[in-house]
Amino acid sequence: MEDTSFAIHPDREEGTEAATYHDIGDVVEWKKAEQGALFHCENGYVFVQFYREDILRITMNPKTVPVLEQSLAIASAKEQAEVDIQSSGEGLIIQTEKLTAILSLSPFRLKVTDAAGRLLLKEEERGMAFRHDGEVRCFKKMEKEDHFYGLGEKTGFLDKRGEKLTMWNSDVFAPHNPETDALYQSVPFFMTIREGKAHGVFLDNTFKTIFDFKREQARYFFSAEGGELDYYIMAGPSPKEVIEQYSWLTGRMELPPKWAIGYHQSRYSYKTAAEVRELVAAFKEKDIPLDAVFLDIHYMDGYRVFTFDQDRFPRPEALIQELSEEGIHVVPIVDPGVKKDPESPVYIEGIRGGHFCQYAEGDLYTGEVWPGISVFPDFFHDSVRQWWGEQHKFYTDMGIEGIWNDMNEPAVFNETKTMDLEVLHNYDGELKTHRELHNAYGLFMGMATYQGLKQQLNGKRPFLLTRAGFSGIQRYAAVWTGDNRSFWEHLQMSMPMCMNLGISGIPFSGADVGGFAHDAAEELLVRWTQLGAFMPYFRNHSNLGTVRQEPWSFGDKAESIIKQFIQLRYRWLPYIYTLFREAHQTGMPVMRALILEYPDDIQTVNLSDQFLLGEHVLVAPITKPNTSHRAVYLPEGEWYDYWTDQKMSGKRHILAEAEWDQLPLFIKEGAILPQADTFKPADQLSIHIYPGNEVSEFLLYDDDGETFAYQNGDYFELNIKAWKKGSTAYIEIDERHSGYTPTWKDISINVHGAVARMVINGKEQ
Ligand code: MIG
């Protein structure tokens, strides 16, 4: 290469100082290495290694042979793969049956294709590069038809082409606008879909990272402020296969306890035990199902974690016991900041144990949060996680089974909004700066909390809700999207945000229903509850000082519709729980962007205001005030209006009507939907079948919903098959696994569509 070290000024447009990027340069020598090859280039080293047959790992280090360290995001060890290495005219070919890496050597450039020869990624005049300040970056050619998804919790539309996204966990109270970039979560993963085929890229780096699909038309780049440029390329070729590959790599969610997927009520704050009792009594009296009540920061004594305010909550264990008898869980908030208070046992113990974050010189890091000057646990060390986990006995001894982690970016009240970047974390013995580990703080807190709870709950499933996280957070927690507002725009935004969280390996997510800040209004709360009832996580939460937004806050009309939709959520739980089981097993999101199921349909590329619940249910909420209609895109196939059973052909837009008490909801032919006729407990099950000419199948899953006994086979599976010939519906039902007896006593079959006869398991009905 003539110009091994080129100077470019990619930041020029933004007015930042000119910077010099050094290209990795020509290959000086290379050698075979485990499942791949190691390249020594003019300006650094690159390891190309198959991590699994369909996952290629590329690691660049400008200074030394890559150390191949992995972050906590990685949940699976490298798998054995048959790797073939050959020289070719272009340079070198390293391949498995699924993926081919083609390396040109002068300069070093990467091109990746799949077995069919389909191009995934390609580097042209720019490839891997770095700056002497530690930044590593790589450029890839951007094809005209490339669309980008994933990248965790971001504002804006579904497709991130034309966006530049930063990963830096941030407490953003306001605003959440289309231009707001870094929020609470960092997921440095994206999926590219090009003409119906997909591949994925995961940049395993906890420093601040940037993904730029905006600045240039012909190429995109991703970069990290420090560390190795360590990324995994996933082969697809379908979008769902990319999700399978990414979620294998970074782990999948545990099955949630059933109570975690019911309706949750929160407020900043229900301030006294009396207020909580009143709230729960109102739900009961109004016959609105409820599974959990949240205690925001006012439950604590001076905002000290692991305490209750004795005036406001004199006997918390009695309250929790009482509510638990009503089938209601209490979920207290736990922030990472521990008040600097020499009379507080947690503070003293943490100090004595060396559990709090420190500077290099040994001084404690302190920052201001709710309790005043506070210290912060150094969750990166195993002993600290152990200790923090144990503190939760304070809650679990009272019967608490769920925890809400907030402010865990960590958020600190100062100009940078977070911890000093020079704080040194003790990463299980290795010292690393906060600058390097900032994005992972919430993930490690999540691990500490989840594992602590799990140990203490004697076989019961914990529930953890978190604001901050990094790739892999799905293994420990559900994610809510932080401080949204009671705006219609934020109702709209919650859909692409949660669809992309699902693509990013995080299936269990939701936004504050009704909006957190600003004041909710009658129609907004009605429409938002309709949407929330079909989101994976369903919680109504609102800010201090805002208009109340419990289901009955806006009068009888709104209350009765809201109640109807919360009840509908409970009817749908057997179906939703089965989807969670699928998420647990394969990583498939519960709430799906249409492009996951219809990647070849260009109408789905940026479809941000409707989604699928599983494969066959299409949800198209009303997202505007004073509106009782909207355009809905029905993809190919035959569809039924859920409410009227009216049948329609897809691959077209329709105009759906929906008065206040309706939500446009469409069921695809072939759907098999189990629904509870009653809730808490469901003792009657209806299976709604929409048979098509082809055989369709659904594997209904159930278990006790509260313990890990399913891991020993204590679960139930019912396989249902259905098809139609002429006007006869054929149904085959067979119990696949009987390790658990569901609570329902009867099952009824309801066939939809023009059907005159029904044959079940060979018997005419
Ligand atoms: O900024 O604990 O996002 O849900 O109610 C205030 C009080 C800190 C931010 C969370 C919000 C919660 C609030 N917290």
Side-chain angles (χ1 to χ4, degrees), residues 83-96:
V83 179
D84 181 57
I85 303 189
Q86 281 175 30
S87 296
S88 86
E90 284 187 72
L92 201 65
I93 295 184
I94 307 178
Q95 62 186 347
T96 63

Side-chain angles (χ1 to χ4, degrees), residues 86-117:
Q86 281 175 30
S87 296
S88 86
E90 284 187 72
L92 201 65
I93 295 184
I94 307 178
Q95 62 186 347
T96 63
E97 271 183 8
K98 299 273 173 63
L99 272 183
T100 303
I102 302 156
L103 294 321
S104 24
L105 305 183
S106 145
F108 183 86
R109 290 292 180 267
L110 169 73
K111 180 173 150 187
V112 180
T113 68
D114 70 7

Side-chain angles (χ1 to χ4, degrees), residues 4-22:
T4 54
S5 175
F6 61 86
I8 52 171
H9 300 189
D11 294 337
R12 193 169 40 202
E13 306 89 310
E14 295 186 354
T16 52
E17 71 199 68
T20 304
Y21 286 89
H22 303 277

Side-chain angles (χ1 to χ4, degrees), residues 190-245:
F190 65 93
M191 180 197 293
T192 308
I193 302 183
R194 181 190 310 143
E195 292 172 330
K197 295 285 189 291
H199 62 269
V201 170
F202 172 53
L203 175 57
D204 186 21
N205 186 310
T206 59
F207 280 91
K208 181 185 279 178
T209 56
I210 291 175
F211 295 79
D212 190 335
F213 308 106
K214 166 165 122 179
R215 200 168 305 167
E216 294 180 87
Q217 294 300 313
R219 70 185 142 234
Y220 63 87
F221 76 78
F222 48 92
S223 64
E225 244 185 40
E228 296 187 329
L229 183 78
D230 187 10
Y231 62 104
Y232 297 77
I233 301 166
M234 285 146 268
S238 71
K240 284 163 98 174
E241 283 163 297
V242 173
I243 295 177
E244 187 282 324
Q245 289 148 358

Side-chain angles (χ1 to χ4, degrees), residues 609-610 618-620 630-634 652-656 664 666:
D609 64 351
Q610 53 181 80
L618 194 157
V619 185
R630 58 160 288 169
V632 177
Y633 182 66
L634 299 177
R652 66 191 176 108
H653 289 88
I654 61 157
L655 190 66
F666 302 89

Side-chain angles (χ1 to χ4, degrees), residues 71-74 185-189 202-203 246 250 439 443 469-475 504 506:
S71 79
L72 180 65
I74 304 291
Q185 299 267 332
S186 289
V187 183
F189 159 79
F202 172 53
L203 175 57
Y246 174 70
T250 60
N439 284 340
L443 173 66
F470 186 73
S471 294
I473 188 67
Q474 66 272 9
R475 309 197 302 262
S504 308
I506 301 171

